[in-house]
Amino acid sequence: MKLGNVSAVREGQLYAFTGYPIGMVLGLYPVTHRGIISAISPVAIPMIRSNKLNEKLLKRLHDPYPVFQLDATAYPGNSGSPLYDPDSGDVLGVINKVFIQESKENAISKPSGITYAIPVNHVENILRENKLY
């Protein structure tokens, strides 16, 4: 798959991601989901109590990078799936987490419908650092 131009991503645009969610439950075949980019926001997770803050979280709050918030439901097993333009096939992100309501056990029975993807420029940087791109 071809890596796309992250600067072209806009809120409201339709994208897709394909992966292998919940392996043995949904089967061992790829599943494709679609959703729009709901927001492009910094990866900064607020803490309810200050005693939950640590050095890593404080660094993220000081120097956040943008992530794509989707109105699509990803399930365990979708992490690492490419987020791509369904028309061109250009990869614009990588699914990395899902907003979970209540507990992890409820991710399947009560999905939030909110998924996050890391922009593909971070993948490009990793590939360049390892002389693979």
Side-chain angles (χ1 to χ4, degrees), residues 56-124:
K56 185 177 178 181
L57 289 173
L58 287 171
K59 182 180 182 322
R60 251 196 235 166
L61 290 171
H62 184 267
D63 189 21
Y65 58 89
V67 294
F68 302 137
Q69 178 184 322
L70 301 154
D71 73 340
T73 300
Y75 295 97
N78 275 123
S79 296
S81 297
L83 174 70
Y84 58 91
D85 181 318
D87 296 324
S88 69
D90 290 353
V91 176
L92 297 154
V94 177
I95 301 299
N96 81 316
K97 68 180 175 178
V98 176
F99 177 74
I100 297 175
Q101 299 179 45
E102 298 174 26
S103 67
K104 290 181 183 180
E105 291 76 23
N106 290 327
I108 297 168
S109 62
K110 296 180 183 178
S112 69
I114 300 173
T115 298
Y116 296 92
I118 295 173
V120 77
N121 58 319
H122 295 288
V123 174
E124 289 175 338

Side-chain angles (χ1 to χ4, degrees), residues 11-65:
E11 293 170 351
Q13 291 178 322
L14 178 69
Y15 291 96
F17 57 95
T18 302
Y20 296 85
I22 323 171
M24 297 309 288
V25 176
L26 294 180
L28 300 175
Y29 297 96
V31 177
T32 299
H33 300 274
R34 313 183 288 170
I36 64 165
I37 301 289
S38 302
I40 301 171
S41 60
V43 62
I45 301 168
M47 291 290 128
I48 294 171
R49 290 180 280 163
S50 61
N51 66 347
K52 298 290 184 185
L53 288 172
N54 58 38
E55 185 178 344
K56 185 177 178 181
L57 289 173
L58 287 171
K59 182 180 182 322
R60 251 196 235 166
L61 290 171
H62 184 267
D63 189 21
Y65 58 89

